[in-house]
Short mmCIF file of all heavy atoms in Angstrom, two decimals:
data_model
loop_
_atom_site.label_atom_id
_atom_site.label_comp_id
_atom_site.label_asym_id
_atom_site.label_seq_id
_atom_site.Cartn_x
_atom_site.Cartn_y
_atom_site.Cartn_z
N ILE A 108 260.41 173.83 40.58
CA ILE A 108 259.27 174.44 39.88
C ILE A 108 259.31 174.15 38.36
O ILE A 108 258.32 173.78 37.73
CB ILE A 108 259.29 176.01 40.18
CG1 ILE A 108 259.00 176.21 41.58
CG2 ILE A 108 258.29 176.65 39.17
CD1 ILE A 108 259.10 177.85 41.93
N TYR A 109 260.46 174.22 37.78
CA TYR A 109 260.67 173.78 36.33
C TYR A 109 260.27 172.38 36.00
O TYR A 109 259.71 172.08 34.95
CB TYR A 109 261.99 174.28 35.77
CG TYR A 109 262.19 175.71 35.44
CD1 TYR A 109 261.58 176.72 36.17
CD2 TYR A 109 262.92 176.01 34.38
CE1 TYR A 109 261.70 178.07 35.70
CE2 TYR A 109 263.16 177.41 33.94
CZ TYR A 109 262.55 178.34 34.80
OH TYR A 109 262.68 179.79 34.43
N ARG A 110 260.69 171.59 36.88
CA ARG A 110 260.38 170.14 36.77
C ARG A 110 258.90 169.94 36.71
O ARG A 110 258.32 169.32 35.90
CB ARG A 110 260.99 169.40 37.84
CG ARG A 110 260.85 167.82 37.58
CD ARG A 110 261.34 167.04 38.79
NE ARG A 110 262.72 167.37 39.10
CZ ARG A 110 263.22 167.64 40.29
NH1 ARG A 110 262.43 167.62 41.34
NH2 ARG A 110 264.49 167.81 40.46
N ILE A 111 258.13 170.58 37.63
CA ILE A 111 256.62 170.60 37.67
C ILE A 111 256.11 171.06 36.34
O ILE A 111 255.17 170.54 35.92
CB ILE A 111 256.26 171.33 38.95
CG1 ILE A 111 256.58 170.57 40.24
CG2 ILE A 111 254.59 171.35 38.92
CD1 ILE A 111 256.16 171.39 41.50
N ALA A 112 256.61 172.26 35.85
CA ALA A 112 256.16 172.91 34.77
C ALA A 112 256.19 171.91 33.45
O ALA A 112 255.36 171.77 32.72
CB ALA A 112 256.81 174.17 34.50
N VAL A 113 257.50 171.41 33.39
CA VAL A 113 257.66 170.47 32.18
C VAL A 113 256.68 169.21 32.35
O VAL A 113 256.10 168.76 31.26
CB VAL A 113 259.06 169.99 32.14
CG1 VAL A 113 259.28 168.94 31.15
CG2 VAL A 113 260.00 171.09 31.74
N HIS A 114 256.65 168.73 33.47
CA HIS A 114 255.64 167.50 33.73
C HIS A 114 254.22 167.80 33.35
O HIS A 114 253.59 167.08 32.65
CB HIS A 114 255.80 167.04 35.13
CG HIS A 114 254.93 165.95 35.45
ND1 HIS A 114 255.21 164.58 35.01
CD2 HIS A 114 253.65 165.88 36.13
CE1 HIS A 114 254.19 163.83 35.51
NE2 HIS A 114 253.34 164.51 36.15
N GLU A 115 253.77 169.08 33.92
CA GLU A 115 252.33 169.42 33.57
C GLU A 115 252.15 169.80 32.11
O GLU A 115 251.16 169.36 31.52
CB GLU A 115 252.03 170.64 34.40
CG GLU A 115 251.86 170.34 35.85
CD GLU A 115 250.83 169.36 36.15
OE1 GLU A 115 249.63 169.41 35.76
OE2 GLU A 115 251.10 168.37 36.92
N ALA A 116 253.06 170.47 31.51
CA ALA A 116 252.95 170.74 30.00
C ALA A 116 253.00 169.45 29.23
O ALA A 116 252.27 169.37 28.28
CB ALA A 116 254.13 171.60 29.65
N SER A 117 253.83 168.59 29.58
CA SER A 117 253.90 167.21 28.76
C SER A 117 252.61 166.55 28.94
O SER A 117 252.14 165.93 28.05
CB SER A 117 255.08 166.48 29.36
OG SER A 117 256.31 167.03 29.12
N ASN A 118 252.09 166.48 30.25
CA ASN A 118 250.73 165.80 30.39
C ASN A 118 249.69 166.46 29.52
O ASN A 118 248.84 165.83 28.92
CB ASN A 118 250.36 165.79 31.75
CG ASN A 118 251.13 164.92 32.61
OD1 ASN A 118 251.72 163.95 32.10
ND2 ASN A 118 251.02 164.94 33.94
N ARG A 119 249.68 167.82 29.41
CA ARG A 119 248.81 168.53 28.65
C ARG A 119 248.89 168.28 27.21
O ARG A 119 247.89 168.07 26.58
CB ARG A 119 248.89 170.11 28.98
CG ARG A 119 247.74 170.95 28.30
CD ARG A 119 246.58 171.08 29.08
NE ARG A 119 245.60 171.94 28.58
CZ ARG A 119 244.64 172.60 29.30
NH1 ARG A 119 244.61 172.27 30.61
NH2 ARG A 119 243.83 173.35 28.88
N ARG A 120 250.06 168.16 26.81
CA ARG A 120 250.37 167.85 25.41
C ARG A 120 249.95 166.63 25.03
O ARG A 120 249.35 166.31 24.03
CB ARG A 120 251.92 168.04 25.12
CG ARG A 120 252.30 167.95 23.72
CD ARG A 120 253.81 168.10 23.52
NE ARG A 120 254.31 167.81 22.17
CZ ARG A 120 254.23 168.81 21.27
NH1 ARG A 120 253.84 169.91 21.59
NH2 ARG A 120 254.70 168.50 20.08
N ARG A 121 250.17 165.52 25.95
CA ARG A 121 249.63 164.20 25.65
C ARG A 121 248.11 164.17 25.54
O ARG A 121 247.59 163.45 24.73
CB ARG A 121 250.24 163.23 26.70
CG ARG A 121 251.66 162.79 26.49
CD ARG A 121 251.96 161.57 27.36
NE ARG A 121 252.05 162.06 28.92
CZ ARG A 121 253.09 162.47 29.37
NH1 ARG A 121 254.24 162.55 28.79
NH2 ARG A 121 253.13 162.81 30.75
N TRP A 122 247.51 164.89 26.46
CA TRP A 122 246.07 165.00 26.46
C TRP A 122 245.50 165.54 25.10
O TRP A 122 244.60 164.99 24.47
CB TRP A 122 245.58 165.79 27.66
CG TRP A 122 244.08 166.00 27.51
CD1 TRP A 122 243.12 165.12 28.21
CD2 TRP A 122 243.30 167.03 26.95
NE1 TRP A 122 241.87 165.62 27.89
CE2 TRP A 122 241.92 166.81 27.15
CE3 TRP A 122 243.70 168.16 26.23
CZ2 TRP A 122 240.90 167.66 26.68
CZ3 TRP A 122 242.64 168.99 25.73
CH2 TRP A 122 241.39 168.86 26.03
N TRP A 123 246.26 166.58 24.61
CA TRP A 123 245.86 167.23 23.42
C TRP A 123 245.96 166.30 22.35
O TRP A 123 244.99 166.19 21.40
CB TRP A 123 246.76 168.38 23.09
CG TRP A 123 246.24 169.37 22.04
CD1 TRP A 123 245.58 170.56 22.30
CD2 TRP A 123 246.45 169.17 20.67
NE1 TRP A 123 245.26 171.04 21.17
CE2 TRP A 123 245.83 170.39 20.15
CE3 TRP A 123 247.15 168.15 19.98
CZ2 TRP A 123 245.83 170.62 18.62
CZ3 TRP A 123 247.05 168.33 18.58
CH2 TRP A 123 246.47 169.56 17.97
N PHE A 124 246.89 165.49 22.24
CA PHE A 124 247.07 164.51 21.10
C PHE A 124 246.09 163.55 21.14
O PHE A 124 245.54 162.95 20.08
CB PHE A 124 248.45 163.96 21.08
CG PHE A 124 249.54 164.90 20.44
CD1 PHE A 124 250.58 165.23 21.16
CD2 PHE A 124 249.44 165.20 19.08
CE1 PHE A 124 251.62 166.12 20.61
CE2 PHE A 124 250.43 166.07 18.48
CZ PHE A 124 251.43 166.49 19.22
N ARG A 125 245.70 163.07 22.36
CA ARG A 125 244.56 162.04 22.52
C ARG A 125 243.15 162.52 22.26
O ARG A 125 242.36 161.85 21.71
CB ARG A 125 244.72 161.46 23.95
CG ARG A 125 245.98 160.70 24.15
CD ARG A 125 246.05 160.22 25.60
NE ARG A 125 247.37 159.51 25.87
CZ ARG A 125 247.89 159.10 27.02
NH1 ARG A 125 247.01 159.56 28.08
NH2 ARG A 125 248.85 158.52 27.15
N HIS A 126 242.78 163.84 22.71
CA HIS A 126 241.49 164.22 22.68
C HIS A 126 241.35 165.55 21.72
O HIS A 126 240.58 165.42 20.79
CB HIS A 126 241.17 164.60 24.02
CG HIS A 126 241.21 163.50 25.04
ND1 HIS A 126 240.30 162.42 25.06
CD2 HIS A 126 242.17 163.19 25.83
CE1 HIS A 126 240.68 161.54 26.01
NE2 HIS A 126 241.77 161.95 26.48
N LYS A 127 242.04 166.65 22.09
CA LYS A 127 241.70 167.95 21.33
C LYS A 127 242.04 167.72 19.83
O LYS A 127 241.44 168.42 19.11
CB LYS A 127 242.62 169.02 21.98
CG LYS A 127 242.12 170.39 21.66
CD LYS A 127 242.78 171.36 22.58
CE LYS A 127 242.35 172.78 22.08
NZ LYS A 127 243.00 173.77 22.98
N SER A 128 243.13 167.04 19.55
CA SER A 128 243.51 166.95 18.11
C SER A 128 242.31 166.25 17.33
O SER A 128 242.35 166.50 16.01
CB SER A 128 244.76 166.18 17.93
OG SER A 128 244.60 164.89 18.42
N ARG A 129 241.48 165.58 17.88
CA ARG A 129 240.34 164.86 17.17
C ARG A 129 239.29 165.85 16.87
O ARG A 129 238.36 165.63 16.08
CB ARG A 129 239.87 163.72 17.93
CG ARG A 129 240.84 162.75 18.21
CD ARG A 129 240.21 161.50 19.15
NE ARG A 129 241.24 160.68 19.49
CZ ARG A 129 241.05 159.61 20.45
NH1 ARG A 129 239.91 159.62 20.92
NH2 ARG A 129 241.97 158.79 20.60
N GLU A 130 239.23 167.08 17.55
CA GLU A 130 238.18 168.09 17.37
C GLU A 130 238.45 168.86 16.14
O GLU A 130 239.49 169.10 15.57
CB GLU A 130 238.22 169.01 18.61
CG GLU A 130 237.91 168.34 19.90
CD GLU A 130 238.12 169.40 21.09
OE1 GLU A 130 238.31 170.49 20.82
OE2 GLU A 130 237.89 168.88 22.20
N THR A 131 237.22 169.41 15.47
CA THR A 131 237.34 170.20 14.33
C THR A 131 237.04 171.59 14.78
O THR A 131 235.86 171.97 15.20
CB THR A 131 236.37 169.73 13.21
OG1 THR A 131 236.74 168.41 13.02
CG2 THR A 131 236.47 170.64 12.07
N SER A 132 238.01 172.52 14.69
CA SER A 132 237.72 173.90 15.17
C SER A 132 237.25 174.71 14.07
O SER A 132 237.71 174.60 12.80
CB SER A 132 239.01 174.51 15.72
OG SER A 132 238.87 175.78 16.02
N MET A 133 236.37 175.70 14.26
CA MET A 133 235.87 176.68 13.34
C MET A 133 236.51 177.96 13.56
O MET A 133 236.26 178.96 12.90
CB MET A 133 234.39 176.87 13.47
CG MET A 133 233.55 175.55 13.18
SD MET A 133 231.72 175.82 13.39
CE MET A 133 231.54 176.89 12.02
N GLU A 134 237.56 178.12 14.44
CA GLU A 134 238.21 179.25 14.82
C GLU A 134 239.35 179.39 13.71
O GLU A 134 239.76 178.48 13.06
CB GLU A 134 238.79 179.23 16.03
CG GLU A 134 237.61 179.25 17.18
CD GLU A 134 238.23 179.28 18.69
OE1 GLU A 134 239.45 179.20 18.78
OE2 GLU A 134 237.42 179.28 19.54
N LEU A 135 239.93 180.52 13.76
CA LEU A 135 241.02 180.93 12.87
C LEU A 135 242.25 180.07 13.25
O LEU A 135 242.39 179.76 14.42
CB LEU A 135 241.51 182.40 13.00
CG LEU A 135 240.47 183.38 12.40
CD1 LEU A 135 240.92 184.84 12.58
CD2 LEU A 135 240.31 183.13 10.83
N GLU A 136 243.15 179.53 12.34
CA GLU A 136 244.30 178.80 12.67
C GLU A 136 245.26 179.69 13.40
O GLU A 136 245.40 180.79 13.08
CB GLU A 136 244.83 178.22 11.42
CG GLU A 136 244.05 177.11 10.67
CD GLU A 136 243.94 175.88 11.56
OE1 GLU A 136 244.85 175.52 12.28
OE2 GLU A 136 242.75 175.39 11.67
N PRO A 137 246.09 179.12 14.30
CA PRO A 137 247.21 179.83 15.00
C PRO A 137 248.27 180.27 13.91
O PRO A 137 248.35 179.61 12.86
CB PRO A 137 247.78 178.85 16.00
CG PRO A 137 247.35 177.49 15.46
CD PRO A 137 246.00 177.68 14.74
N GLY A 138 248.95 181.21 14.26
CA GLY A 138 250.05 181.70 13.39
C GLY A 138 249.70 182.85 12.44
O GLY A 138 250.42 183.27 11.62
N GLY A 139 248.38 183.35 12.65
CA GLY A 139 248.09 184.47 11.89
C GLY A 139 248.64 185.78 12.42
O GLY A 139 249.43 185.86 13.35
N GLU A 140 248.05 186.97 11.87
CA GLU A 140 248.58 188.18 12.33
C GLU A 140 248.32 188.46 13.71
O GLU A 140 249.23 189.11 14.41
CB GLU A 140 247.84 189.32 11.44
CG GLU A 140 248.23 189.31 10.02
CD GLU A 140 247.61 190.50 9.20
OE1 GLU A 140 247.36 191.40 9.50
OE2 GLU A 140 247.15 190.43 8.32
N ALA A 141 247.23 188.07 14.42
CA ALA A 141 247.10 188.28 15.76
C ALA A 141 248.07 187.69 16.55
O ALA A 141 248.56 188.17 17.59
CB ALA A 141 245.62 187.90 16.17
N GLU A 142 248.53 186.39 16.23
CA GLU A 142 249.38 185.75 17.00
C GLU A 142 250.76 186.25 16.80
O GLU A 142 251.62 186.10 17.77
CB GLU A 142 249.42 184.30 16.56
CG GLU A 142 250.23 183.31 17.59
CD GLU A 142 249.97 181.86 17.26
OE1 GLU A 142 249.13 181.52 16.50
OE2 GLU A 142 250.79 181.16 17.84
N GLU A 143 251.13 186.89 15.76
CA GLU A 143 252.48 187.49 15.56
C GLU A 143 252.82 188.49 16.65
O GLU A 143 253.91 188.84 16.89
CB GLU A 143 252.49 188.14 14.18
CG GLU A 143 252.47 187.10 13.09
CD GLU A 143 252.63 187.72 11.63
OE1 GLU A 143 252.72 188.91 11.66
OE2 GLU A 143 252.60 187.10 10.75
N ASN A 144 251.75 189.18 17.29
CA ASN A 144 251.90 190.11 18.28
C ASN A 144 252.11 189.56 19.67
O ASN A 144 252.24 190.20 20.66
CB ASN A 144 250.86 191.07 18.31
CG ASN A 144 250.83 191.92 17.04
OD1 ASN A 144 251.97 192.20 16.49
ND2 ASN A 144 249.76 192.25 16.60
N GLY A 145 252.07 188.23 19.77
CA GLY A 145 252.17 187.54 21.04
C GLY A 145 253.65 187.27 21.45
O GLY A 145 254.42 187.87 21.01
N LEU A 146 253.93 186.15 22.15
CA LEU A 146 255.17 185.73 22.54
C LEU A 146 255.97 185.40 21.26
O LEU A 146 255.62 184.58 20.50
CB LEU A 146 255.21 184.63 23.51
CG LEU A 146 254.46 184.85 24.84
CD1 LEU A 146 254.36 183.59 25.72
CD2 LEU A 146 255.41 185.91 25.60
N CYS A 147 257.27 185.94 21.15
CA CYS A 147 258.04 185.65 20.03
C CYS A 147 259.50 185.78 20.51
O CYS A 147 259.82 186.40 21.41
CB CYS A 147 257.77 186.42 18.83
SG CYS A 147 258.11 188.14 19.14
N LEU A 148 260.34 185.09 19.90
CA LEU A 148 261.84 185.33 20.04
C LEU A 148 262.19 186.68 19.57
O LEU A 148 261.92 187.02 18.44
CB LEU A 148 262.54 184.31 19.24
CG LEU A 148 262.29 182.83 19.65
CD1 LEU A 148 263.03 181.79 18.76
CD2 LEU A 148 262.66 182.47 21.18
N LYS A 149 262.84 187.40 20.44
CA LYS A 149 263.11 188.87 20.23
C LYS A 149 264.36 189.12 19.39
O LYS A 149 264.77 188.35 18.55
CB LYS A 149 262.97 189.65 21.40
CG LYS A 149 261.58 189.59 22.12
CD LYS A 149 261.47 190.49 23.38
CE LYS A 149 261.42 191.86 22.98
NZ LYS A 149 261.26 192.86 24.09
N ASP A 150 264.93 190.27 19.65
CA ASP A 150 265.95 190.81 18.76
C ASP A 150 266.99 189.88 18.41
O ASP A 150 267.54 189.20 19.16
CB ASP A 150 266.37 192.03 19.37
CG ASP A 150 265.37 193.03 19.79
OD1 ASP A 150 264.41 193.22 19.08
OD2 ASP A 150 265.57 193.65 20.88
N ILE A 151 267.53 189.91 17.09
CA ILE A 151 268.68 189.24 16.71
C ILE A 151 269.82 190.11 17.09
O ILE A 151 269.82 191.33 16.73
CB ILE A 151 268.59 188.99 15.13
CG1 ILE A 151 267.55 187.94 14.87
CG2 ILE A 151 269.89 188.48 14.68
CD1 ILE A 151 267.28 187.67 13.41
#
């Protein structure tokens, strides 16, 4: 299952660099306050 996941994510990432990265977004950039409450590395 992990092999499939890595393969699919890598394909998606390649697609992003080829297509999505050319788009100009009017949305807020990632990394803001809203994203800080999402997935993150937890306790030290």
